[in-house]
Amino acid sequence: MFEIGATQTKVRAFAVYIQCSLAPLKWLWIDTCCINRKNAVELSEAINLMFEWYRSAELCLAYLADVATGNGTCTIENSEWFERGWALQELLAPQTVLFVTEGWDIVGHKGGALHGDCRPTVGSNLEERIAQITGIPEKVLNNSASSTDASVDTKMKWIEGRKTTRPEDM
């Protein structure tokens, strides 16, 4: 959970990043601050719809707050983002995920089919690296619908080691 100051800083940095790096957008949605967690009905509805929201997004950004900027070699492998329970749907649902460091530098992306007006100008394809980190096949990273071919045991391995603050979130 972010502190209020950290959330404000993250939202401002996100807005600046979008203005400077991507084409103008009509809508931005930030899960950190767009869900009223104090309203049980709203929270439940958001949780049930979140996968579809990510799937419908033109582009998703994964902010790797613990990956340093400008160190020459970005080691995303150790980022806690890949251990968070909720990050699994953030990774699988969207067609394209752009990974950025704590300083908002682009590490790379998942998904080669960038569509619409959002086209990052730099960054390498990270699907092979992400597949190694998560154990999720590149085929599934590219198309979450292909996960229907995976067994329940295989899918359970994808969530092993992930952390959530509430048991029911797992």
Side-chain angles (χ1 to χ4, degrees), residues 47-144:
I47 288 169
N48 291 328
L49 292 171
M50 206 170 289
F51 191 88
E52 289 305 316
W53 292 343
Y54 284 120
R55 182 184 302 233
S56 298
E58 203 166 305
L59 174 69
C60 289
L61 270 69
Y63 178 64
L64 307 179
D66 56 351
V67 174
T69 297
N71 62 1
T73 59
C74 286
T75 51
I76 63 170
E77 289 77 6
N78 298 324
S79 176
E80 70 178 19
W81 189 88
F82 290 103
E83 296 173 356
R84 288 183 21 231
W86 285 106
L88 188 58
Q89 68 180 355
E90 295 172 37
L91 179 61
L92 295 178
Q95 239 184 0
T96 305
V97 179
L98 187 64
F99 293 87
V100 296
T101 66
E102 52 88 21
W104 294 90
D105 290 327
I106 296 173
V107 176
H109 65 276
K110 174 220 88 148
L114 296 176
H115 58 288
D117 292 329
C118 287
R119 298 187 194 285
T121 56
V122 295
S124 58
N125 187 317
L126 299 174
E127 290 162 9
E128 185 177 340
R129 259 172 102 179
I130 294 168
Q132 291 171 349
I133 295 167
T134 63
I136 301 170
E138 288 182 57
K139 173 182 161 184
V140 175
L141 292 172
N142 281 313
N143 178 8
S144 63

Side-chain angles (χ1 to χ4, degrees), residues 34-53:
C34 290
I35 299 171
N36 181 357
R37 296 170 195 239
K38 293 179 182 175
N39 181 324
V41 173
E42 183 177 328
L43 179 61
S44 177
E45 182 177 316
I47 288 169
N48 291 328
L49 292 171
M50 206 170 289
F51 191 88
E52 289 305 316
W53 292 343

